Amino acid sequence: MPFDHLVILVDHGVARSRSTAAVHIARHLTFPWRLAWGFAIIPAFLRDLIYRFVAANRYRVFGKSNECRVPTPELRARMVT
């Protein structure tokens, strides 16, 4: 399995990966992204199929940039270093 399609979240000492990490991250985001938390009711093996499909096709769907975005001071203040 390619590791470039993997997200891992460690929250309160619990490690989560792939779609489970994504829905737990979504829980802390603002509307409309927070609505993705509702996908937690779908069994993980089904969510992971969708997660892998989106991860494999993300550049076709969302595009790709040749530059890295420089974070604003407000965004930088929210980052963990």
Side-chain angles (χ1 to χ4, degrees):
M1 167 123 356
F3 288 106
D4 60 337
H5 296 168
L6 181 64
V7 63
I8 297 174
L9 170 69
V10 179
D11 186 28
H12 300 291
V14 178
R16 295 175 174 94
S17 64
R18 294 183 185 83
S19 67
T20 303
V23 295
H24 279 270
I25 291 168
R27 185 172 68 170
H28 299 286
L29 299 177
T30 58
F31 181 84
W33 301 108
R34 182 176 289 205
L35 297 175
W37 171 244
F39 288 110
I41 64 170
I42 298 171
F45 75 94
L46 291 176
R47 283 193 326 259
D48 284 343
L49 286 174
I50 297 166
Y51 173 89
R52 288 183 183 116
F53 177 79
V54 171
N57 295 288
R58 69 186 180 272
Y59 293 134
R60 263 184 270 174
V61 174
F62 300 109
K64 188 174 182 178
S65 176
N66 290 328
E67 302 100 27
C68 294
R69 194 173 84 175
V70 178
T72 63
E74 294 83 19
L75 184 57
R76 187 176 293 273
R78 297 180 61 194
M79 294 182 178
V80 178
T81 58

